[in-house]
């Protein structure tokens, strides 16, 4: 449940669900499209891309455009 205060005043995203890995063929949320794995904030429900290798959340702003393009190309090729 997202708390009303967090929705109104912003969420600090402190608590996350266990990382969820999407399988090929499943519809990916925008967050999951970055790495194929995502975690959801238990406070507000927002989804974040998660990097298993780095064991951390991937900020979309930190993704290099080249990496995004490569991911997009894979998505199109693997449909
Ligand atoms: Zn949050």
């Amino acid at each position: 449940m997202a708390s009303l205060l967090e929705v109104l005043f912003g969420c600090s995203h402190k608590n996350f669900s266990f990382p969820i890995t999407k399988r090929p063929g499943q519809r990916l949320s925008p967050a999951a499209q970055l790495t194929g794995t995502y975690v959801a904030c238990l406070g507000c429900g927002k989804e974040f891309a998660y990097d298993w290798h780095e064991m951390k959340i991937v900020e979309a702003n930190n993704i290099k455009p080249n990496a995004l393009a490569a991911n997009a190309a894979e998505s199109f090729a693997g449909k």
Side-chain angles (χ1 to χ4, degrees):
M1 283 295 285
S3 102
L4 185 57
L5 285 178
E6 285 175 340
V7 171
L8 287 179
F9 297 109
C11 176
S12 52
H13 312 312
K14 286 179 181 173
N15 300 305
F16 293 95
S17 71
F18 194 78
I20 300 161
T21 300
K22 293 290 191 177
R23 293 175 182 171
Q26 285 185 295
R27 198 172 69 84
L28 296 176
S29 70
Q33 285 177 8
L34 294 176
T35 63
T37 302
Y38 70 95
V39 292
C41 175
L42 298 180
C44 66
K46 184 171 167 54
E47 294 178 354
F48 298 86
Y50 185 85
D51 187 329
W52 270 114
H53 301 291
E54 298 288 335
M55 297 293 282
K56 68 181 182 184
I57 289 167
V58 179
E59 296 287 348
N61 292 338
N62 293 342
I63 303 268
K64 295 175 184 175
N66 286 345
L68 274 181
N71 259 332
E74 278 185 6
S75 297
F76 286 121
K79 71 178 179 180

